[in-house]
Amino acid sequence: MAKIQVLDKQIAELIAAGEVVERPSSVVKELVENSIDAGASAITVEIQNGGVTYIRVTDNGSGIQRDDIPTAFLRHATSKVHTQEDLDHIGTLGFRGEALASIAAVSKVELLTCAKGEMIGSHYRVEGGEEVDMEDAGCPEGTTFIIRDLFYNTPARIKFLKKDVTEANAVAGVLDRIALSHPEVSIKFIRSGKEVLLTPGDGDLLSDVYAVFGRDFAKNLLPVDYTLHGIRVHGYISKPTAARPNRSMQYFFINSRVVRSRTAMAALEESCKGSVMVGRFPASVLHLEVALEGVDVNVHPAKIEVRFVNERPVFDAVYHACKNALQKEDDRKEMELQSAAKPPIRILPVTPPAKLEQTKLTDQMGGKSYSRREDDAVPSFQMQPMEKGKPSLTGSEDPLFVSGKKLQEKPPVYQSISYIPSKEESCSSDVDQNIETSQNDIEPVVTQEAEEIEEPAIRVIGEAFSTYIILEVGKELFLIDKHAAHERLLYEQIKKDATINHQMLLVPVPVTLEKSLYDAVLDHLSLLSQAGFETEDFGDGCILVRSAPLELDGADVELLVTELAGRLVTCRRDLIPEQLEWIYHSVACRAAVKAGDKNSPKELYELAVRAFEEDVRYCPHGRPIAIRLTQKELEKQFGRIQ
């Protein structure tokens, strides 16, 4: 008996459907792309239960003629490709003719459509790939698809679906990308009865970026419009100061098709070298207009990867477009100094000598007084007397004088500790009511305690390059990386307590995330809470951070949350307590003092002492914390000893 046999039609369709329809977002993608190919200018998508039980896609496109409706649900039936030559220059989003057949094979489908010029519309139903009925219906021009009970006849596929929230976020991510790829089309998304997305459809890409990602993301973008080698690159890239900790916000569209392009990604990041901090990545919404025959879109089942005939012109076009935008939009702020307006000098008329009255002047410094005689020389003009309540130079301009009394400085008192405070930290001032002397008469008096200072066991000599603490310990010198040392100390403290001290933010920080990252955060809010972040869902891909670790700067909150979200996406299977140390790493790294930060001698001393007391050797990333140089080795270098 022959072992090889042709599969039954229904089984073959179910297998083929698995390549096209993976989850509800796949259904939405195929149907919305068909609507765009039909010339629709407004598309509405509504889902319930993440799209598993209900999906509705409505457009105002050209519609489907009644005679073509049954044929449209057959496999490999399409109106977009007719000959082999058509495959060399595909300009539509769909072309394989598999979408409707695959969707109908695993769900219950209703179609309402009315083609332009027809007087009455059609209502068509198909379940599991089998036609149920077709009848007349009153409906406007355009097409409406209603998908119910996805995978109802393939239970094995249902168990691989995720939670409704996760599936709904995946649908939202698909619509975000499609909206950005076609700013001329208005996209409305209704999720469980609530409208969560509405793009204007006015053809302005920035308007769509604003609608999808919000104001904070849109205001930090630079416009790009450049043509090279016949390839036009236009759209937006983020300012260098708004770079992100991962590549999740890099979007590329080739001939209005959503794609993943390593060539474009490499060109974008290469153009930003020297402008974007190491470890950060620019965000982008870039459209590439390439000749249809220069790109092959039929190389991936989901059509999200393409192949170029020649990648070099594409790389050059993206590179120079982004480089030009960065150089043109240098947003360094200029300081404007305004000179203070000087008050006008009022000149009084000269008073005749005969009418001069005797005036008594007081020398407020010495307490002497004298009278001016009438025959004294009279100046040619006099300054306007000061008005009451305005400051005058009474006594002395010396800041040690207050209300005519002298301030006396207390002499510094040094304690026998390894850290010696500066004069500013140990001196205080009070008012001496009995002594009135000039500033030159004050001489600091060092107490006996200061003369008996013991040589400290640990002495901070200084700091090199605002990064390395120079330390003398006995007959050894140490160079300590202050960031690495502080990071390790924070990490050990967090790990020991298993919690991170946090504080409520005065103003909550909104963080806009790509939908996959947004979904990962919602699934692991307890982990973020353990990391010191109190967050809540703000809707539409945005979360609100209400508290953050104590030692974290406000500017680092958004970056760290985005970084943690990216890690949650890539490490979902590793989320067990023993493998969560990377959360502590990230928080400790962000909260630690940075290289280049200005720190007081006291702070440097305390950090160095803690590093020695706790005997930390390496930072959480494995870098050494300190380098040692002995006195003997140093003297060998100078030839003092052999």
Side-chain angles (χ1 to χ4, degrees):
M1 181 178 179
K3 296 183 178 180
I4 300 176
Q5 58 183 346
V6 178
L7 291 175
D8 182 73
K9 176 186 175 183
Q10 184 178 3
I11 298 177
E13 288 180 348
L14 292 176
I15 294 174
E19 299 178 358
V20 179
V21 182
E22 299 177 359
R23 56 197 305 190
S25 60
S26 304
V27 176
V28 172
K29 174 181 179 296
E30 297 293 345
L31 295 180
V32 172
E33 287 182 349
N34 282 344
S35 297
I36 293 175
D37 288 339
S41 60
I43 302 173
T44 300
V45 179
E46 181 180 358
I47 66 171
Q48 294 178 6
N49 301 111
V52 178
T53 60
Y54 183 85
I55 299 174
R56 179 174 65 87
V57 179
T58 302
D59 66 61
N60 61 350
S62 59
I64 305 174
Q65 295 183 359
R66 173 170 292 195
D67 294 341
D68 290 336
I69 292 176
T71 307
F73 285 87
L74 299 178
R75 192 162 302 281
H76 308 303
T78 179
S79 62
K80 301 161 188 176
V81 176
H82 299 91
T83 64
Q84 180 178 347
E85 289 72 20
D86 292 339
L87 294 176
D88 296 332
H89 44 82
I90 297 174
T92 56
L93 298 177
F95 54 87
R96 292 174 180 161
E98 295 181 342
L100 293 183
S102 297
I103 294 170
V106 293
S107 64
K108 301 174 182 178
V109 180
E110 289 186 42
L111 169 64
L112 286 167
T113 184
C114 182
K116 292 184 178 180
E118 291 186 346
M119 299 297 296
I120 192 169
S122 303
H123 180 208
Y124 183 76
R125 290 196 305 136
V126 57
E127 295 182 4
E130 299 294 332
E131 179 180 336
V132 176
D133 60 23
M134 183 168 66
E135 57 188 4
D136 294 342
C139 56
E141 290 185 358
T143 302
T144 297
F145 278 95
I146 300 176
I147 314 298
R148 290 188 173 91
D149 302 330
L150 188 63
F151 301 131
Y152 79 100
N153 55 351
T154 54
R157 299 291 300 278
I158 295 179
K159 65 182 181 181
F160 287 101
L161 294 177
K162 304 185 187 311
K163 296 185 301 183
D164 291 349
V165 173
T166 302
E167 296 297 342
N169 286 332
V171 173
V174 167
L175 292 177
D176 286 349
R177 291 187 286 271
I178 293 178
L180 295 175
S181 67
H182 288 81
E184 75 281 1
V185 179
S186 175
I187 304 289
K188 179 190 290 187
F189 179 36
I190 302 173
R191 175 175 171 174
S192 299
K194 179 183 177 182
E195 181 182 302
V196 295
L197 175 66
L198 177 61
T199 62
D202 57 0
D204 184 359
L205 179 58
L206 188 59
S207 297
D208 275 26
V209 172
Y210 188 99
V212 172
F213 296 125
R215 180 188 62 182
D216 292 338
F217 182 82
K219 72 180 182 181
N220 288 313
L221 296 178
L222 299 176
V224 176
D225 198 344
Y226 196 83
T227 302
L228 183 66
H229 304 309
I231 300 174
R232 184 190 175 202
V233 181
H234 62 97
Y236 296 89
I237 62 173
S238 62
K239 297 178 181 179
T241 54
R244 304 179 71 85
N246 52 50
R247 298 184 176 92
S248 63
M249 299 296 278
Q250 292 182 357
Y251 294 90
F252 298 97
F253 310 95
I254 296 179
N255 297 333
S256 297
R257 181 189 301 277
V258 181
V259 298
R260 287 199 304 254
S261 174
R262 295 184 180 274
T263 301
M265 183 187 303
L268 169 65
E269 295 180 8
E270 187 68 24
S271 68
C272 293
K273 279 189 176 179
S275 300
V276 173
M277 186 183 302
V278 176
R280 303 278 180 85
F281 303 92
S284 66
V285 182
L286 289 178
H287 283 254
L288 282 70
E289 296 181 6
V290 186
L292 296 179
E293 57 273 12
V295 58
D296 185 3
V297 299
N298 192 23
V299 296
H300 191 276
K303 297 175 285 188
I304 59 175
E305 293 184 4
V306 297
R307 186 175 299 161
F308 298 104
V309 174
N310 188 356
E311 292 188 354
R312 189 66 200 184
V314 177
F315 181 95
D316 291 343
V318 175
Y319 174 83
H320 289 291
C322 298
K323 199 72 173 179
N324 182 64
L326 290 171
Q327 293 176 350
K328 184 185 299 183
E329 298 291 337
D330 188 354
D331 59 351
R332 286 176 293 188
K333 297 181 179 179
E334 296 183 358
M335 180 181 293
E336 297 182 0
L337 298 178
Q338 298 180 352
S339 58
K342 296 182 179 180
I345 297 177
R346 298 178 61 187
I347 302 178
L348 300 179
V350 177
T351 306
K355 296 183 180 180
L356 281 176
E357 297 180 356
Q358 191 177 27
T359 305
K360 186 176 182 180
L361 301 178
T362 302
D363 180 5
Q364 297 183 6
M365 285 290 294
K368 300 177 181 180
S369 62
Y370 63 93
S371 299
R372 191 179 62 205
R373 299 190 306 270
E374 293 184 1
D375 56 351
D376 287 342
V378 179
S380 58
F381 66 89
Q382 295 178 348
M383 298 296 295
Q384 176 73 12
M386 281 200 172
E387 299 177 5
K388 185 177 180 180
K390 292 190 176 181
S392 61
L393 296 178
T394 59
S396 170
E397 296 184 16
D398 194 329
L400 293 177
F401 280 87
V402 177
S403 302
K405 296 184 179 181
K406 182 72 173 177
L407 295 181
Q408 183 182 9
E409 292 182 332
K410 268 191 176 180
V413 178
Y414 298 139
Q415 300 178 358
S416 298
I417 58 174
S418 52
Y419 166 69
I420 301 177
S422 63
K423 181 178 178 180
E424 289 79 2
E425 294 174 328
S426 58
C427 294
S428 62
S429 300
D430 64 359
V431 179
D432 189 339
Q433 301 291 341
N434 301 319
I435 302 176
E436 291 185 355
T437 58
S438 65
Q439 184 180 4
N440 295 331
D441 294 335
I442 299 176
E443 295 182 0
V445 180
V446 181
T447 64
Q448 183 68 19
E449 186 180 359
E451 297 175 355
E452 297 176 356
I453 297 176
E454 297 178 359
E455 187 68 21
I458 298 178
R459 186 163 69 94
V460 176
I461 297 176
E463 185 180 15
F465 312 120
S466 297
T467 303
Y468 305 101
I469 305 172
I470 305 174
L471 203 65
E472 180 184 337
V473 183
K475 293 186 177 182
E476 294 177 332
L477 283 180
F478 287 86
L479 289 177
I480 298 179
D481 186 331
K482 65 181 183 181
H483 171 72
H486 196 200
E487 181 182 359
R488 184 70 192 195
L489 292 171
L490 288 175
Y491 168 74
E492 293 295 340
Q493 179 181 346
I494 294 171
K495 186 177 179 182
K496 178 181 178 181
D497 299 338
T499 56
I500 299 175
N501 294 326
H502 62 279
Q503 62 181 349
M504 297 299 295
L505 299 176
L506 185 62
V507 178
V509 177
V511 181
T512 302
L513 300 170
E514 194 270 336
K515 291 302 187 295
S516 62
L517 274 65
Y518 171 64
D519 180 62
V521 169
L522 295 185
D523 284 345
H524 301 97
L525 291 177
S526 60
L527 288 178
L528 289 179
S529 177
Q530 187 177 353
F533 294 96
E534 181 184 334
T535 57
E536 64 180 60
D537 184 10
F538 201 56
D540 303 340
C542 181
I543 64 171
L544 208 60
V545 182
R546 295 194 176 276
S547 70
L550 277 172
E551 299 183 8
L552 198 63
D553 291 337
D556 287 335
V557 171
E558 181 177 359
L559 290 174
L560 182 52
V561 170
T562 306
E563 182 180 309
L564 292 176
R567 189 64 181 266
L568 289 171
V569 169
T570 57
C571 302
R572 291 191 182 195
R573 296 182 180 179
D574 298 333
L575 295 178
I576 59 178
E578 292 79 5
Q579 295 174 319
L580 289 180
E581 291 190 357
W582 55 267
I583 293 184
Y584 301 150
H585 288 179
S586 299
V587 174
C589 183
R590 293 287 182 184
V593 62
K594 305 297 189 298
D597 287 353
K598 301 298 182 182
N599 301 103
S600 68
K602 183 177 181 180
E603 292 173 331
L604 298 177
Y605 172 79
E606 291 178 350
L607 178 58
V609 169
R610 283 192 60 192
F612 267 86
E613 288 179 349
E614 301 187 22
D615 193 25
V616 292
R617 303 292 180 89
Y618 300 94
C619 80
H621 301 94
R623 292 191 297 109
I625 289 175
I627 298 176
R628 185 184 65 171
L629 177 63
T630 65
Q631 181 180 359
K632 184 176 180 180
E633 292 171 345
L634 190 61
E635 289 178 345
K636 280 184 179 181
Q637 295 294 326
F638 282 98
R640 288 181 172 272
I641 60 175
Q642 298 298 325

